[in-house]
Amino acid sequence: MGSYKIGMFFSRKFKVSEAQPPADVKQAFEKFVPDGQTLMTPHHLLQFLITSQNESEATITDAEKIVDQVLKQRHHVAKFTRHALTLDDFHHFLFSQDLNPPIKSQVHQDMNAPLSHYYIYTGHNSYLTGNQLSSDSSDVPIIKALTRGVRVIELDIWPNSDEDDVHVFHGRTLTTPVELIKCLMSIKEYAFVASPYPVVITLEDHLTPDLQAKVAEMVTKTFGEMLYHPESGYLEEFPSPESLKYRVLLSTKPPKEYLEAKDSKDKGVVSPEEEGWDKESDSDQGENDVGDEDSDDSDHNPQQSEPPEYKQLIAIHAKKHKGELEESLKVDIHKVGRLSLNEQALEKAAESHATDLVRFTQRNFLRIYPKGTRITSSNYNPLIGWMHGAQMVAFNMQGYGRSLWLMQGMFRSNGGCGYVKKPDFLIKEYQQNQSFNITENLPVKKTLKVRVYMGDGWRLDFSQTHFDSYSPPDFYAKVSIAGVPADIKKKKTKILEDNWTPVWDEEFLFPLTVPELALLRIEVHEYDKSEKDDFGGQTCFSVPELRPGIRTVPLLICFCVFELKTMTSKLTYRVCFCFQRRFKVTVAEAPSEIKTLFDSYSENGIMAVDHLQKFLVEYQGEEKTTKEEAQGIIDSLKEFKHLNPFHKKGLNLDAFFRYLFCDLNPPLSPTLGVHHDMAAPMSQYFIYTGHNSYLTGNQLSSDSSDIPIIKSLQRGVRGIELDMWPNSTKDDVDILHGRTLTTPVELMKCLRSIKEHAFSASPYPVVVTLEDHLTPDLQAKVAKMISQAFGDMLFYPGSECLGELPSPDSLKKRIIISTKPPKEYKETKSLKEKENGSQKDKKSTEEEAWGRELSELKSDFGSHDKHNDHDGEDEHQDEEYIDDGERKSQQNAEPEYKHLIGIHAGKSKGGLKEVLRVDPDKVRRISLDEQALEKAIINHATDVVRFTQRNLLRVYPKSTRVDSSNYNPLIGWMHGAQMVAFNMQGYGRSLWLMHGMFRANGGCGYVKKPEFLLKVGPNNQVFDPRVSLPVKKTLKVRVFMGDGWYLDFRHTHFDVYSPPDFYTRVGIAGVPADSVMKKTKTIEDDWTPVWDEEFEFSLTVPELALLRIEVHEYDMSEKDDFGGQTCLPISELRTGIRAVPLFTRKGEQYKSVKLLMRFEFV
């Protein structure tokens, strides 16, 4: 029998559908073309333009030009005998961005009003090429901004290094400079390429009088007659844009004003923008902190002899008024000027002075700029400024994102000239000196109806494999309104799979209370189930500018914000007026799989006791369930009388569904309790451990109190840390975080609270770790306090050092003291000083509102921070140290204090390998901070595991986590560390993992370590976390649905005017090979979302794996809202369908919010 080989070469091909006219387009064509005819003449087209497109000014000449252009574009013939359009020609016309744009392309607003009556396209730090901290300064961003139509350019002017010339750069940062004259020359050349209307240059001046005179000369010489000179020192009213065509205006604070600002600064008043560079978090500003950017903070002499020619060039005076904000917003009828507020100052002002802001901007300029912490050149919501009349909402044009898209959308209005007339209600004066108040409830003025027909063009502008390598893209469109809070809404079309030319043909309604300020936002995305959806284009238009009818909407790519020609696709839509939208709350119904299960385990629509028992045993895996327990479930459900779903013989479908979705069916067994072997030495357990347990908040300035200790103990924490220091009179002992601004609490108060609450959540031992900074006299006093407070509860070791740690079972209801014996402190003092010096001035890396994401946690394993490394292996950290003045005195420490120590903390001499050496005759505890652990496991991973088989390893947060954030606990656990100490007063994803781990074993605070971390092989080998392992088991998770948000949240919490758009994230936290995160689709406008999606997770080390679950509410314009979270130990997860309760960010369980999920191991 012969053998053969086959060689095949092929490539996949798929059909690209051509864009076909939608039904509405066909109907429009047939409506205006007489019966029996197939061509639309110019007269027919004119009727269509006037009647359907609402172009009342259209003429027959306009229609003839359209026909000519369409025929030339479509058929490439200069002269065409047929002077009429076919249906396809008509469709091409509607789909032409040049012939059928969505907004007017000419300046059409009144341009003769004062400048203060217009929104002006304004840039911030216009010279920067990238971020605000280290990017280059250049004239290129200025040129790009001007060619886009930006009318306000900001320049920060500083002396050069020789102080003989002027540079432009962001002061007190790492940004590189650019010469001022280069910027001025570029402004002159490009100022009016996009618009003839005036350009305003705002100067932030940090110069001496000599250099100011030089600037005056530069400006005069560069701009010549283009420069606008006011006739008097102050303008009584601003000129109009029309009267200032092709003119350049300077705006800054007159030099004499800088002296006042300088004095204020010397008194401690710092401008908010500069404050932002010194503080990572946003600062709250008082009313009299107006937030004026134009302040002189240079170290030069006061500018009392300023050159008059410099001052005379200033057309728009920026000034900071004395007094409170209300005084700053007072309108001067004799002169006009400009005031600057940062975004935070505006938000605060809008709360208490909204009408004052509106009234001020009717005559004066208000400029808003980004807060100083936006070092990435991100932006804020411009609507807040616009709705209060602010003309100059300054944006980082070198950034990109949805906020900048809104800015671009606003200034597409009025022909893109950079000036948009403010609505009349923001300009006119009302009776009794009133003005428009945005906080008032307003009726719906108009309703915008948007129909999204179809899209096209991606196949031409993207590579064929850009969205998907093996199939056409799956597009969907998002349509929304940005405006006043009452008008904000977002909608989404269905997803059309495998189609380069999607036809959605969906219609959406948007009621508008203030249509004059509304922006229509459109985005297209390509659905990706496994990753973030791909971006397919976006655009934004001012609603008042929209032309009714069927229009072509060109989309822009998101990352070329200066490229006007990067059109990626088109949409068509129709605009008309209709009615306000309403919605109802859906009631949770059983998913189809549960209905099928019920049918399998019931008869005649009733699930009797026998059926329920069989279901629990066979499907839920509860093999020991008795008939009595099944009856107990039915009896318990009958307490929910308001549901009324019960039959006297058993459960109907609704009752069965309610059981599955209630607290009687949790994912962890409520009856299992403590089930681990608790008779092994303490070194064989993970122990729920706190760090600086007495602090109420951050590590730098919060209060010390016994309340956080009580809360920790009630949660099941078994390791409490206390830092002991002498009080101010040196005669008593306080607890506080030394060398910080934290306030103290008395040691005795903490000890009594520990005694009272130690065993309220668990009977197993509490370990109190002491960081001791006391003299021998005070140590003796501490010994008496501890003995008096705890009495028989205190565990006294039989010898100075234990040969083996006792078991948790043998230490029930006992308290153990752990610290370093006094004589040990001398050896670690110098090392601690080095550690403190190396970590000075670092900042926390966990900045998100609820913690870092898993990808960052994964990267912690096996990595270390170069800036925080220690040069030698022997330089591991130890928290327990004392002052130089205390070391000598402690050599004579009171013996009774030393005898109280149940678990000795110590440091062996030599390098890290020596520190981790196992002593067969005694056990001890060592402490490493998170960075020292990361370094240790690079070269000593197995030594760490071997050490923790007999001894205790405590890991604590690095000292730079001043915000009480935490680290990845899995790094410690996978190397056997028992006491992974956390800041319990913080919150975030890291702490959620800690909560999840210690839900195991009945929540008693002790979790038995996996056997592989305890056993020793025949060649003395131990578990090595770095070794790749095979998949041991696979977990299948199905997310059916969620419910309870409607009961636990305010109905406007997620979205003011529509139900929430929920999605669920499900993933694994564990060893790096197992860690992954997946996401369901987003279910829109539903308080009871049904996802019904399944995910698989391959686990190599299931013993250390935690199941992470989070629910978020999708927000198109801002960060997604938090909807709940939980974390569950895989080892204790019950199979079957379970009701999974969710918790708040701080770990408190919601009353009603749950997910219905199914778990299966294969």
Side-chain angles (χ1 to χ4, degrees):
M1 193 171 183
S3 62
Y4 63 90
K5 296 180 180 178
I6 298 177
M8 302 181 70
F9 303 89
F10 62 91
S11 61
R12 179 180 180 191
K13 295 184 178 180
F14 46 80
K15 181 180 179 182
V16 177
S17 58
E18 294 293 331
Q20 299 296 322
D24 279 14
V25 173
K26 293 178 181 178
Q27 291 173 9
F29 183 82
E30 293 168 356
K31 179 179 178 181
F32 291 96
V33 173
D35 293 340
Q37 297 185 24
T38 59
L39 297 177
M40 176 179 278
T41 67
H43 290 281
H44 302 148
L45 179 59
L46 178 60
Q47 291 302 312
F48 167 76
L49 294 175
I50 295 173
T51 306
S52 290
Q53 302 289 81
N54 201 32
E55 298 180 26
S56 57
E57 298 177 357
T59 64
I60 188 63
T61 303
D62 296 329
E64 289 173 346
K65 287 181 179 179
I66 290 173
V67 171
D68 286 341
Q69 289 181 284
V70 169
L71 294 178
K72 288 176 183 179
Q73 292 172 3
R74 290 262 300 158
H75 305 285
H76 309 289
V77 177
K79 291 184 179 181
F80 210 78
T81 55
R82 168 174 59 81
H83 197 65
L85 304 179
T86 64
L87 174 60
D88 286 340
D89 293 334
F90 179 63
H91 182 217
H92 176 83
F93 155 63
L94 292 177
F95 228 144
S96 170
Q97 65 190 52
D98 298 322
L99 301 177
N100 189 34
I103 61 175
K104 297 177 182 178
S105 57
Q106 302 84 23
V107 176
H108 57 90
Q109 296 177 357
D110 173 21
M111 303 301 287
N112 291 300
L115 286 171
S116 57
H117 288 194
Y118 299 84
Y119 298 127
I120 309 175
Y121 206 173
T122 304
H124 173 257
N125 290 356
S126 309
Y127 49 86
L128 288 179
T129 57
N131 69 64
Q132 304 285 308
L133 197 59
S134 60
S135 65
D136 295 330
S137 302
S138 169
D139 63 331
V140 175
I142 297 172
I143 295 170
K144 290 182 176 180
L146 290 169
T147 55
R148 195 177 189 97
V150 172
R151 299 290 84 191
V152 181
I153 299 296
E154 181 187 25
L155 302 178
D156 289 42
I157 48 178
W158 294 79
N160 68 352
S161 56
D162 296 328
E163 299 197 357
D164 60 356
D165 203 356
V166 182
H167 279 172
V168 175
F169 65 98
H170 199 190
R172 298 187 178 86
T173 68
L174 302 177
T175 56
T176 61
V178 62
E179 293 177 353
L180 171 63
I181 191 64
K182 188 175 183 180
C183 296
L184 297 179
M185 293 296 291
S186 295
I187 292 173
K188 178 184 179 181
E189 184 176 355
Y190 293 93
F192 306 109
V193 295
S195 168
Y197 292 99
V199 167
V200 179
I201 302 175
T202 60
L203 298 177
E204 188 171 329
D205 177 2
H206 308 264
L207 303 178
T208 60
D210 291 343
L211 288 178
Q212 286 179 342
K214 190 166 186 175
V215 169
E217 184 181 352
M218 286 184 193
V219 170
T220 305
K221 184 177 180 181
T222 301
F223 296 121
E225 293 182 357
M226 295 170 63
L227 193 65
Y228 171 75
H229 294 270
E231 295 180 359
S232 59
Y234 278 92
L235 294 169
E236 293 186 7
E237 185 179 58
F238 288 120
S240 70
E242 190 69 33
S243 67
L244 292 174
K245 273 188 174 180
Y246 300 104
R247 303 296 292 273
V248 175
L249 290 74
L250 291 190
S251 177
T252 189
K253 184 175 292 182
K256 67 177 182 180
E257 303 291 341
Y258 284 104
L259 184 58
E260 299 174 12
K262 172 70 175 165
D263 291 340
S264 297
K265 185 157 292 190
D266 291 339
K267 295 175 184 176
V269 180
V270 184
S271 79
E273 181 161 35
E274 291 174 10
E275 188 179 42
W277 300 117
D278 299 324
K279 293 183 68 177
E280 187 171 338
S281 60
D282 300 332
S283 58
D284 293 327
Q285 295 150 359
E287 275 195 342
N288 51 357
D289 184 2
V290 180
D292 197 337
E293 258 190 333
D294 309 296
S295 58
D296 179 28
D297 47 9
S298 66
D299 297 324
H300 302 293
N301 294 327
Q303 300 166 347
Q304 295 175 344
S305 58
E306 70 275 1
E309 60 271 24
Y310 178 76
K311 182 176 180 179
Q312 290 167 3
L313 297 180
I314 302 173
I316 302 173
H317 286 238
K319 185 177 180 180
K320 179 181 179 185
H321 296 270
K322 298 178 181 179
E324 297 186 348
L325 181 60
E326 189 172 1
E327 183 66 23
S328 300
L329 293 173
K330 187 175 291 184
V331 177
D332 189 332
I333 60 173
H334 299 297
K335 60 182 179 180
V336 292
R338 172 174 66 83
L339 181 67
S340 289
L341 299 176
N342 77 8
E343 56 179 292
Q344 294 169 301
L346 172 68
E347 290 173 6
K348 184 169 184 180
E351 291 178 3
S352 55
H353 300 287
T355 56
D356 293 329
L357 286 169
V358 174
R359 191 176 296 109
F360 178 82
T361 58
Q362 289 175 342
R363 279 181 44 81
N364 300 275
F365 277 132
L366 177 59
R367 176 177 169 273
I368 311 301
Y369 60 93
K371 60 186 178 183
T373 53
R374 292 191 182 275
I375 58 175
T376 60
S377 292
S378 62
N379 289 297
Y380 50 100
N381 181 5
L383 269 305
I384 300 175
W386 292 334
M387 68 180 65
H388 290 91
Q391 299 88 346
M392 297 181 171
V393 177
F395 259 37
N396 295 312
M397 299 296 172
Q398 65 275 39
Y400 63 90
R402 288 191 169 101
S403 296
L404 189 56
W405 298 347
L406 296 181
M407 176 69 68
Q408 292 165 354
M410 169 63 87
F411 288 100
R412 287 191 181 99
S413 304
N414 201 24
C417 73
Y419 284 81
V420 175
K421 193 82 161 16
K422 292 198 291 185
D424 286 341
F425 58 76
L426 287 173
I427 299 172
K428 69 178 183 179
E429 296 183 5
Y430 296 78
Q431 293 181 350
Q432 299 178 347
N433 201 29
Q434 294 177 341
S435 60
F436 174 73
N437 188 351
I438 197 64
T439 61
E440 293 180 355
N441 292 325
L442 300 172
V444 172
K445 190 179 292 186
K446 292 182 181 179
T447 297
L448 174 67
K449 183 188 289 185
V450 178
R451 178 173 287 275
V452 185
Y453 286 121
M454 60 187 298
D456 196 11
W458 292 279
R459 186 167 54 91
L460 300 175
D461 291 345
F462 289 83
S463 68
Q464 304 299 300
T465 58
H466 177 86
F467 297 107
D468 196 311
S469 299
Y470 300 100
S471 67
D474 310 325
F475 286 125
Y476 64 91
K478 296 177 179 178
V479 186
S480 63
I481 293 292
V484 299
D487 293 348
I488 297 173
K489 281 189 176 59
K490 52 191 176 184
K491 310 287 182 71
K492 189 175 80 168
T493 68
K494 58 182 175 288
I495 298 170
L496 290 184
E497 296 186 347
D498 296 342
N499 201 331
W500 283 102
T501 312
V503 179
W504 297 286
D505 199 16
E506 296 186 47
E507 190 170 85
F508 307 106
L509 300 180
F510 299 98
L512 304 174
T513 62
V514 187
E516 298 89 343
L517 290 176
L519 293 163
L520 177 67
R521 302 174 53 190
I522 303 169
E523 297 179 23
V524 174
H525 296 266
E526 199 269 343
Y527 176 71
D528 192 322
K529 188 172 185 179
S530 60
E531 299 177 3
K532 184 177 180 181
D533 292 353
D534 293 317
F535 179 82
Q538 62 81 23
T539 194
C540 186
F541 296 109
S542 174
V543 169
E545 295 274 310
L546 290 174
R547 303 167 70 203
I550 300 174
R551 303 292 177 183
T552 295
V553 179
L555 299 187
L556 305 172
I557 61 177
C558 69
F559 46 85
C560 292
V561 296
F562 297 113
E563 294 281 341
L564 293 176
K565 59 183 180 180
T566 50
M567 309 292 186
T568 60
S569 61
K570 309 180 186 82
L571 293 172
T572 59
Y573 69 97
R574 169 176 289 174
V575 180
C576 63
F577 302 115
C578 203
F579 309 99
Q580 187 170 1
R581 178 188 176 198
R582 299 177 183 270
F583 54 83
K584 65 177 183 177
V585 179
T586 57
V587 179
E589 295 182 358
S592 57
E593 185 171 325
I594 291 176
K595 294 178 182 177
T596 304
L597 272 175
F598 180 79
D599 292 340
S600 302
Y601 288 94
S602 65
E603 290 183 7
N604 300 321
I606 297 298
M607 179 180 282
V609 174
D610 292 337
H611 299 139
L612 179 57
Q613 181 191 13
K614 185 179 180 183
F615 165 77
L616 295 172
V617 172
E618 293 181 355
Y619 193 87
Q620 299 288 80
E622 300 176 29
E623 299 175 353
K624 298 181 180 180
T625 302
T626 63
K627 188 174 180 179
E628 289 74 19
E629 289 171 333
Q631 183 62 55
I633 290 173
I634 295 176
D635 293 340
S636 298
L637 284 169
K638 288 179 180 177
E639 295 178 5
F640 299 107
K641 296 178 181 179
H642 64 284
L643 296 177
N644 196 27
F646 305 99
H647 190 277
K648 61 182 179 180
K649 296 182 179 180
L651 305 178
N652 61 16
L653 171 60
D654 195 25
F656 176 62
F657 171 56
R658 296 295 173 182
Y659 158 64
L660 291 177
F661 214 168
C662 80
D663 293 333
L664 297 175
N665 185 38
L668 304 181
S669 174
T671 60
L672 196 57
V674 177
H675 57 281
H676 294 177
D677 174 20
M678 302 301 286
M682 286 179 67
S683 57
Q684 297 189 16
Y685 300 84
F686 297 128
I687 306 173
Y688 204 175
T689 305
H691 172 256
N692 289 357
S693 309
Y694 49 86
L695 288 180
T696 57
N698 69 65
Q699 305 286 307
L700 200 58
S701 60
S702 64
D703 295 331
S704 302
S705 170
D706 62 331
I707 294 176
I709 298 172
I710 295 171
K711 289 181 177 179
S712 294
L713 292 169
Q714 290 174 338
R715 196 175 192 100
V717 172
R718 301 290 86 191
I720 299 295
E721 182 186 25
L722 302 177
D723 289 43
M724 304 188 302
W725 294 81
N727 68 353
S728 56
T729 56
K730 309 289 185 183
D731 60 355
D732 204 354
V733 180
D734 280 342
I735 302 297
L736 71 150
H737 197 192
R739 301 183 180 91
T740 68
L741 302 177
T742 55
T743 60
V745 60
E746 294 177 355
L747 169 64
M748 195 62 193
K749 187 175 184 180
C750 295
L751 296 178
R752 287 171 180 160
S753 293
I754 292 173
K755 177 184 179 181
E756 183 178 353
H757 298 277
F759 308 109
S760 59
S762 168
Y764 292 98
V766 169
V767 179
V768 180
T769 60
L770 299 177
E771 189 172 329
D772 177 2
H773 308 264
L774 304 178
T775 60
D777 292 343
L778 288 178
Q779 286 179 342
K781 190 167 186 175
V782 168
K784 293 177 183 177
M785 286 184 187
I786 290 175
S787 301
Q788 180 183 348
F790 298 137
D792 293 339
M793 295 169 68
L794 192 65
F795 169 75
Y796 293 90
S799 59
E800 183 173 330
C801 285
L802 294 169
E804 183 178 60
L805 291 169
S807 69
D809 227 1
S810 67
L811 292 174
K812 274 187 174 180
K813 302 291 182 77
R814 304 297 291 274
I815 293 174
I816 308 169
I817 303 298
S818 177
T819 189
K820 185 175 291 182
K823 67 178 181 180
E824 302 288 340
Y825 282 102
K826 184 175 180 180
E827 300 174 15
T828 59
K829 167 64 179 170
S830 61
L831 295 176
K832 186 64 185 185
E833 286 177 337
K834 292 181 183 179
E835 184 268 330
N836 277 346
S838 69
Q839 293 189 351
K840 212 170 188 179
D841 297 328
K842 297 289 181 184
K843 293 185 178 179
S844 169
T845 58
E846 184 157 307
E847 297 174 351
E848 288 190 34
W850 45 82
R852 295 182 298 172
E853 189 36 81
L854 184 61
S855 59
E856 295 180 67
L857 294 176
K858 285 176 67 175
S859 66
D860 287 346
F861 177 65
S863 65
H864 57 284
D865 190 337
K866 293 180 181 178
H867 299 289
N868 291 303
D869 276 349
H870 309 288
D871 297 330
E873 284 187 343
D874 59 335
E875 293 185 7
H876 70 280
Q877 284 89 0
D878 198 322
E879 277 192 318
E880 293 126 2
Y881 70 96
I882 62 172
D883 293 330
D884 284 326
E886 296 160 9
R887 290 181 297 173
K888 295 179 181 178
S889 62
Q890 285 207 354
Q891 293 174 9
N892 301 314
E894 293 292 333
E896 59 267 29
Y897 176 76
K898 186 173 181 179
H899 293 159
L900 296 180
I901 303 173
I903 301 174
H904 284 237
K907 174 188 180 295
S908 300
K909 298 179 180 179
L912 184 59
K913 191 173 183 67
E914 183 64 23
V915 171
L916 294 170
R917 186 179 62 81
V918 177
D919 189 330
D921 299 319
K922 61 181 181 181
V923 292
R924 57 198 166 90
R925 170 177 67 80
I926 66 170
S927 291
L928 298 176
D929 83 353
E930 55 178 295
Q931 292 171 302
L933 174 67
E934 289 171 11
K935 183 173 181 182
I937 62 180
I938 294 174
N939 299 314
H940 302 285
T942 54
D943 293 327
V944 174
V945 173
R946 188 176 289 108
F947 178 84
T948 58
Q949 290 178 336
R950 275 181 46 79
N951 302 276
L952 294 182
L953 173 59
R954 176 176 170 271
V955 183
Y956 60 93
K958 60 186 178 183
S959 60
T960 54
R961 292 190 181 275
V962 295
D963 59 350
S964 293
S965 60
N966 290 295
Y967 51 99
N968 181 7
L970 269 306
I971 300 175
W973 291 333
M974 70 179 68
H975 290 87
Q978 299 88 347
M979 304 180 81
V980 177
F982 260 36
N983 294 312
M984 299 296 172
Q985 67 274 37
Y987 62 89
R989 287 190 170 107
S990 298
L991 190 56
W992 299 346
L993 298 183
M994 180 70 70
H995 293 163
M997 169 63 84
F998 289 101
R999 289 191 176 103
N1001 200 26
C1004 73
Y1006 285 80
V1007 174
K1008 192 78 156 53
K1009 293 199 286 188
E1011 285 300 316
F1012 58 76
L1013 285 172
L1014 304 175
K1015 66 181 182 181
V1016 179
N1019 298 320
N1020 199 34
Q1021 73 267 27
V1022 295
F1023 173 72
D1024 188 346
R1026 298 167 296 187
V1027 175
S1028 298
L1029 299 171
V1031 173
K1032 191 176 290 187
K1033 61 172 65 174
T1034 298
L1035 171 65
K1036 280 188 178 181
V1037 178
R1038 178 170 285 276
V1039 185
F1040 287 116
M1041 61 186 300
D1043 198 9
W1045 291 280
Y1046 193 77
L1047 299 175
D1048 290 350
F1049 289 80
R1050 288 181 293 105
H1051 298 172
T1052 57
H1053 177 86
F1054 298 107
D1055 198 311
V1056 178
Y1057 296 100
S1058 67
D1061 311 326
F1062 288 123
Y1063 64 89
T1064 297
R1065 304 176 74 236
V1066 186
I1068 297 294
V1071 298
D1074 295 348
S1075 298
V1076 68
M1077 208 71 189
K1078 301 183 179 181
K1079 187 178 83 168
T1080 68
K1081 58 182 176 289
T1082 300
I1083 302 296
E1084 292 196 341
D1085 294 345
D1086 203 332
W1087 284 100
T1088 311
V1090 178
W1091 297 284
D1092 200 15
E1093 294 187 47
E1094 188 169 271
F1095 306 100
E1096 287 193 9
F1097 302 99
S1098 301
L1099 305 174
T1100 61
V1101 186
E1103 299 89 343
L1104 287 177
L1106 297 165
L1107 179 66
R1108 294 177 54 197
I1109 302 168
E1110 297 178 20
V1111 175
H1112 297 271
E1113 198 269 343
Y1114 175 75
D1115 193 320
M1116 182 183 293
S1117 59
E1118 299 176 359
K1119 183 176 180 180
D1120 293 353
D1121 294 316
F1122 177 82
Q1125 61 81 24
T1126 192
C1127 192
L1128 303 168
I1130 298 291
S1131 59
E1132 304 225 346
L1133 202 60
R1134 297 201 295 173
T1135 57
I1137 297 174
R1138 303 294 174 185
V1140 180
L1142 297 188
F1143 296 76
T1144 67
R1145 296 175 188 170
K1146 295 186 178 181
E1148 299 167 358
Q1149 185 174 336
Y1150 290 116
K1151 292 181 181 179
S1152 310
V1153 177
K1154 297 180 184 66
L1155 297 180
L1156 188 64
M1157 307 178 72
R1158 187 188 68 207
F1159 307 111
E1160 179 184 2
F1161 290 101
V1162 294

